[in-house]
Amino acid sequence: MRKVAIVFILAVFLPSLVLGWLAVRSLRDQELVLERQRSLFFQSVADNAASDVQYAVISHRREFVSQTEAILANGEPAVLAMNFDTLLQTNWPMAEVGFVVSPGGTLSSPSAFNRSPAAQSFVQGNGAFLCSRESAEVYWNVANNSKTGNYAGPDPNVVVANNNTAQPQAGVESKSWFLPQKKSSVQRSVNPQQQLQPPSKGDNQTNDNQVSKLAPAEAEFRQLIGDATEGTLARFVDDKLNVLFWYRSPRDSNFVFGAQLSLARFVRDMRTWIRPSEPENPGKSIWRESVSRDPICLALLDDKGRPVAISHPNFRANWKRPFVSTEVGEELPHWEVAVYLMDPVRLTQSARTLKYTLGLLIALLLLAIGVGGWLVVRDLNRQLALARQKTDFVSNVSHELKTPLTSIRMFSELLAEQRVADPAKQRSYLNIITAETARLTRLINNVLDFSRMERGEKKYNFRDADLAALVREAIGTYRPHLESAGFKLECDLPESALPVRADTDAVAQIIVNLLSNAEKYSDSRKEILVRVSRRDGPLPCAEVAVLDRGLGVPASCEERIFEQFYRAHDSLSSGIQGSGLGLTLARQIARAHGGDVVFERREGGGSCFAVRLPLVAADVRL
Ligand code: ADP
């Protein structure tokens, strides 16, 4: 049995546990892969949007160049330079301030006589730098840097968006700089759950994931632009971002014309750009590309991490913790396009639900395997016990057949050879032969009946009978045998009849089986009492109780003695012969009559086996 259990554990249970564990692991890996795929997808959305923002800045610079050329077409650069600020702002409202650096290194515009407050603060912040009187920290981007003068080239830390080696010549239009390269775009991503967390102090601290890779380079304006034709540079003045475009016209390349981009106007444009476009009117919007199952919100964050343009104005989040984001580039240093999940809980919840469902399924499967295994082992155990009982049964029955046959043969030979002359002895030998034959018949009947019942072929011949009379008759046939064996048999029978519907032979077989057991399992006190009575109750019944003063039944086997082949007193230890079928048959017959056979402990020692059969109506004619 232990072998079966070990085989089951090694061949079924352990492999199932390992499979279950592998399934849970692969589930977790799948979840990570899904998460990764989603974040890559949204990252590409953020990258594209950042490219579009960068492209918008470059487009404004192109617009500035053509506006400048249009102004210069009206006269001498040296004359127009004086009023450049006013002329530019009139024609091109995206300019907050227009400026001109003269060949002498002074600011010709904005004019010292006619300065607006914006121009005033522009000159204060940028004047010294533009006049190359001092160097400053700048983020720069030049469209044509093939002739970068004495400027030693960009600092290796400085990110330059357009540093292709094949640059267009001055004044030659090139399309390459319309297509900003996002080679060095800085991306970051966070866990969707983090998006839900409220802003904390830690949000302002830098960590590897969130630090910008854009760093300014220290340079003077002249040194920085060298002989290049045009470009963009950005710098922080009093913690405020200034985006400056500059341009040298082929008409007079000694003058550098420039403009400060109005960030307020630029952001206003971005607000319409970032809104999802109507499906029937795609327009200029990043949303034409980002069709996704998971609703997202796009936001353009400024250098302080504040959202300046949001695709869904009512959406609120911890802006410092986007799902993924990409920096725009050196045109707008530290500005980012960020993607937020509109429903981060749903994302993790569906993954979690899937995980729990599959986990539960695996647990249920393991449980089913466990329970199934336990049932198999239990059944196997039962089958083994039954097989053992059957083997015992065969040896018990053979023994029971052999004992009476030996006596019958011995006594019949004695009588046949006429070796016994005494008539009393002859009678006694004949009685023994009769009793042993009856025992054989009983045993064979029991075995045959049992096999009939097993096959479902046992037939009963029910008829109305008086149980008291039936018992009286059965006792009558068995009494001589008991008394010759030295038993004292007492009967307590009622005066009145106990009407039952029964197969009289089958009921007599029960009574004889019980009497035979009382005889077999009686020790030295050879006293048997048969009591027939009426039991009143909701279902009145007639009861035949056979009581002895014998060995009794061990407490642990009181129910099991009714199982087929089961013996509480086995032949080897007790020396009492038996097949383990007598009580099984007795109970099956009684139950086929609508009654039962029960065991009760007898007070003062011994056993009490009672057959109960339902009574039929009193007016039944017997
Ligand atoms: P068996 O042929 O072994 O007697 P039974 O089915 O008649 O088979 O009885 C089953 C078991 O019940 C017996 O082996 C015995 O242990 C126990 N038993 C039956 N009758 C008695 C009794 N009167 N006193 C004690 N034990 C009994």
Side-chain angles (χ1 to χ4, degrees):
M1 198 53 239
R2 194 184 292 167
K3 229 186 237 171
V4 176
I6 290 173
V7 167
F8 174 77
I9 288 174
L10 289 180
V12 180
F13 201 69
L14 280 183
S16 326
L17 271 183
V18 172
L19 278 179
W21 177 72
L22 285 176
V24 170
R25 267 198 64 150
S26 88
L27 201 73
R28 219 178 38 204
D29 292 351
Q30 281 299 316
E31 207 183 305
L32 286 177
V33 168
L34 270 178
E35 186 78 17
R36 180 88 193 117
Q37 276 177 352
R38 198 174 279 121
S39 90
L40 281 177
F41 173 71
F42 289 134
Q43 189 68 66
S44 71
V45 172
D47 287 357
N48 286 343
S51 293
D52 280 12
V53 175
Q54 202 181 34
Y55 174 72
V57 177
I58 292 171
S59 300
H60 285 310
R61 188 177 72 200
R62 292 214 63 221
E63 180 63 19
F64 156 73
V65 169
S66 41
Q67 290 295 340
T68 308
E69 277 301 330
I71 293 169
L72 293 180
N74 298 327
E76 274 302 302
V79 179
L80 291 165
M82 306 299 287
N83 292 323
F84 185 70
D85 178 30
T86 324
L87 290 170
L88 183 68
Q89 284 195 60
T90 321
N91 293 347
W92 190 53
M94 285 305 288
E96 188 151 323
V97 178
F99 68 89
V100 181
V101 182
S102 68
T106 54
L107 268 185
S108 319
S109 178
S111 149
F113 309 106
N114 183 21
R115 277 183 190 163
S116 64
Q120 194 84 36
S121 76
F122 173 81
V123 173
Q124 253 173 25
N126 295 294
F129 164 68
L130 292 173
C131 298
S132 299
R133 287 202 302 274
E134 66 178 35
S135 56
E137 285 196 332
V138 264
Y139 302 81
W140 71 287
N141 174 12
V142 62
N144 178 358
N145 61 352
S146 57
K147 305 176 199 160
T148 321
N150 12 349
Y151 179 51
D155 185 301
N157 294 324
V158 179
V159 180
V160 179
N162 198 354
N163 56 357
N164 310 14
T165 43
Q167 294 295 329
Q169 293 302 306
V172 179
E173 197 174 69
S174 160
K175 283 197 174 161
S176 68
W177 56 278
F178 278 98
L179 304 168
Q181 316 262 313
K182 294 306 296 176
K183 275 186 228 157
S184 47
S185 62
V186 181
Q187 304 168 338
R188 67 181 165 117
S189 58
V190 297
N191 178 312
Q193 279 299 318
Q194 281 182 16
Q195 196 184 303
L196 294 173
Q197 291 165 10
S200 64
K201 277 186 193 164
D203 286 340
N204 295 326
Q205 291 166 5
T206 53
N207 63 41
D208 281 354
N209 201 25
Q210 283 170 279
V211 80
S212 169
K213 295 217 172 81
L214 293 177
E218 178 111 7
E220 282 179 5
F221 182 63
R222 277 276 167 204
Q223 185 190 22
L224 190 140
I225 62 172
D227 290 340
T229 315
E230 64 180 86
T232 307
L233 56 87
R235 59 186 296 248
F236 287 93
V237 178
D238 297 333
D239 209 21
K240 201 171 155 272
L241 178 64
N242 285 197
V243 179
L244 309 179
F245 299 144
W246 55 269
Y247 172 62
R248 269 200 189 108
S249 171
R251 294 169 201 277
D252 187 345
S253 61
N254 291 324
F255 285 92
V256 179
F257 293 88
Q260 181 185 353
L261 179 70
S262 164
L263 280 179
R265 282 177 189 274
F266 177 77
V267 161
R268 210 176 303 149
D269 284 359
M270 286 294 112
R271 277 185 198 143
T272 39
W273 165 84
I274 209 163
R275 300 289 290 275
S277 50
E278 300 297 319
E280 59 276 5
N281 177 25
K284 271 194 128 195
S285 164
I286 182 65
W287 292 92
R288 66 192 179 270
E289 297 167 35
S290 55
V291 180
S292 140
R293 267 188 317 110
D294 302 306
I296 54 166
C297 172
L298 271 178
L300 178 62
L301 306 180
D302 70 6
D303 48 277
K304 307 272 178 325
R306 290 173 307 215
V308 289
I310 313 168
S311 63
H312 297 75
N314 293 330
F315 176 71
R316 290 285 165 272
N318 175 2
W319 301 109
K320 301 253 167 111
R321 290 182 177 276
F323 182 54
V324 287
S325 71
T326 305
E327 280 202 308
V328 172
E330 57 286 341
E331 286 84 356
L332 294 170
H334 311 311
W335 283 43
E336 283 180 314
V337 174
V339 172
Y340 300 85
L341 298 174
M342 306 257 298
D343 192 359
V345 179
R346 199 195 72 177
L347 195 75
T348 46
Q349 227 168 28
S350 59
R352 207 175 296 161
T353 313
L354 186 77
K355 198 164 107 182
Y356 285 155
T357 314
L358 285 172
L360 199 75
L361 212 71
I362 291 165
L364 277 177
L365 282 178
L366 284 179
L367 193 77
I369 290 171
V371 171
W374 176 71
L375 286 176
V376 167
V377 169
R378 205 180 65 157
D379 196 52
L380 210 69
N381 222 349
R382 239 188 234 164
Q383 295 296 331
L384 280 175
L386 202 65
R388 213 175 298 129
Q389 281 173 349
K390 276 185 181 162
T391 321
D392 290 354
F393 165 75
V394 172
S395 88
N396 287 344
V397 167
S398 322
H399 219 87
E400 271 214 87
L401 286 172
K402 206 174 153 196
T403 320
L405 277 176
T406 314
S407 343
I408 292 169
R409 193 176 157 194
M410 191 180 78
F411 289 113
S412 56
E413 275 177 7
L414 280 177
L415 291 172
E417 288 165 13
Q418 295 184 339
R419 278 198 263 161
V420 186
D422 182 3
K425 267 196 177 172
Q426 281 179 353
R427 217 173 16 260
S428 133
Y429 288 175
L430 280 172
N431 279 344
I432 292 173
I433 290 171
T434 317
E436 290 300 294
T437 316
R439 196 169 127 196
L440 265 181
T441 314
R442 224 171 28 246
L443 174 67
I444 290 166
N445 278 346
N446 275 352
V447 173
L448 287 177
D449 270 356
F450 174 72
S451 81
R452 261 185 228 122
M453 281 178 193
E454 282 290 284
R455 293 199 303 269
E457 288 173 2
K458 172 80 182 163
K459 299 262 180 313
Y460 293 97
N461 183 16
F462 290 106
R463 56 196 175 85
D464 296 321
D466 172 14
L467 187 63
L470 210 157
V471 173
R472 200 174 297 122
E473 203 180 308
I475 290 174
T477 53
Y478 208 73
R479 183 186 287 278
H481 169 74
L482 281 177
E483 286 179 346
S484 66
F487 275 87
K488 188 178 147 208
L489 178 62
E490 261 183 67
C491 292
D492 181 0
L493 299 170
E495 299 283 304
S496 56
L498 292 172
V500 290
R501 257 195 92 68
D503 179 326
T504 47
D505 288 342
V507 175
Q509 194 183 353
I510 300 179
I511 310 294
V512 172
N513 274 350
L514 295 184
L515 283 173
S516 161
N517 278 353
E519 177 199 351
K520 276 198 293 185
Y521 300 103
S522 280
D523 204 13
S524 50
R525 291 177 69 183
K526 300 190 169 193
E527 298 163 21
I528 298 175
L529 166 64
V530 179
R531 192 172 55 214
V532 182
S533 57
R534 182 195 171 97
R535 279 172 73 95
D536 288 317
L539 278 175
C541 66
E543 182 184 89
V544 184
V546 178
L547 301 100
D548 63 50
R549 288 287 179 200
L551 304 170
V553 177
S556 57
C557 321
E558 287 180 1
E559 257 315 297
R560 294 204 69 191
I561 52 174
F562 292 97
E563 288 174 14
Q564 57 192 28
F565 311 127
Y566 188 81
R567 304 202 65 217
H569 306 89
D570 92 304
S571 317
L572 277 181
S573 51
S574 66
I576 303 169
Q577 300 298 319
S579 60
L581 285 181
L583 288 179
T584 315
L585 280 175
R587 179 167 263 185
Q588 284 186 1
I589 294 170
R591 286 188 174 170
H593 283 73
D596 205 355
V597 177
V598 292
F599 165 78
E600 275 164 20
R601 206 157 280 281
R602 189 179 181 189
E603 266 189 41
S607 317
C608 167
F609 284 90
V611 193
R612 291 173 190 156
L613 298 180
L615 278 168
V616 292
D619 57 354
V620 173
R621 278 174 171 261
L622 295 171

